[in-house]
């Protein structure tokens, strides 16, 4: 049970793997919190009305 044992926590740290003894850290929670904080801080822009181009007249044949 040491650095060469991939089932122990110390071995997983040495190898760089994850599992039951050394689970991965969740990244999604941090991103979601940062995203909502940024959305609250940013002022909302007023919606602009989109205009469409007038249809070109058809040529008479």
């Amino acid at each position: 049970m040491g650095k060469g044992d991939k089932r122990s926590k110390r071995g997983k740290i040495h190898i760089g793997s994850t599992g039951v003894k050394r689970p991965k850290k969740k990244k999604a929670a941090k991103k979601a919190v940062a995203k909502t904080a940024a959305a609250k801080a940013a002022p909302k822009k007023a919606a602009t009305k989109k205009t469409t181009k007038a249809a070109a007249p058809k040529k008479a044949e």
Side-chain angles (χ1 to χ4, degrees):
M1 296 290 177
K3 290 183 180 179
D5 185 16
K6 61 182 175 181
R7 290 187 180 181
S8 67
K9 184 176 180 180
R10 180 57 47 197
K12 288 192 174 293
I13 291 170
H14 182 73
I15 294 167
S17 64
T18 56
V20 175
K21 300 274 185 178
R22 185 173 173 255
K24 288 183 182 180
K25 292 184 180 180
K26 295 182 179 179
K27 294 182 182 178
K30 288 183 180 179
K31 286 184 180 179
V33 171
K35 200 172 194 180
T36 56
K40 288 181 182 178
K44 293 186 178 181
K45 295 181 181 178
T48 57
K49 188 175 180 181
K50 293 183 180 180
T51 57
T52 58
K53 290 185 177 180
K58 294 184 179 180
K59 294 181 180 177
E61 294 184 45

